[in-house]
Amino acid sequence: MKKNDVSAVLSSPLFGAAPSELIEELLCSGNYGIAAFAKGETVFSEGERSVRLCLVLKGSLEVSKGSLFMSSLRAGSISGMSVLFGEGNSFPTTVR
């Protein structure tokens, strides 16, 4: 775990009010990973089984359904949360 990982997580609306000690404990548990993606590379595909959520640390991601552009996710944004905590276990959109 890096100190800037804690800062990045705390910058998100989901985790922003959490004590930094709790975030450090979560990150030290080893149940997280950091991945870099090339521009246009798919992070989640529509219909793919959901087993993780994504916190954008820097850059941006595009959300689409089929050929329809839906939104952009910027640093601090989270994707996959509703799928993880909802009843469906597959992504309804593609995130690149």
Side-chain angles (χ1 to χ4, degrees):
M1 175 197 66
K2 298 177 185 171
K3 198 67 173 170
N4 59 344
D5 295 348
V6 173
S7 296
V9 172
L10 288 171
S11 74
S12 80
L14 179 64
F15 299 106
S20 60
E21 296 80 18
L22 178 64
I23 299 303
E24 288 178 21
E25 184 180 327
L26 174 71
L27 296 180
C28 285
S29 73
N31 290 331
Y32 85 105
I34 295 179
F37 295 91
K39 184 175 183 163
E41 185 177 355
T42 300
V43 178
F44 304 121
S45 294
E46 185 176 339
E48 178 183 334
R49 185 170 185 276
S50 170
V51 294
R52 64 192 187 281
L53 75 124
C54 174
L55 170 61
V56 181
L57 297 178
K58 65 180 179 177
S60 63
L61 298 171
E62 291 186 356
V63 180
S64 61
K65 186 157 183 82
S67 61
L68 176 65
F69 169 81
M70 297 183 69
S71 66
S72 290
L73 301 173
R74 307 224 180 271
S77 298
I78 295 174
S79 179
M81 187 168 55
S82 62
V83 177
L84 286 177
F85 300 112
E87 291 189 26
N89 278 10
S90 63
F91 292 106
T93 58
T94 296
V95 177
R96 302 193 156 95

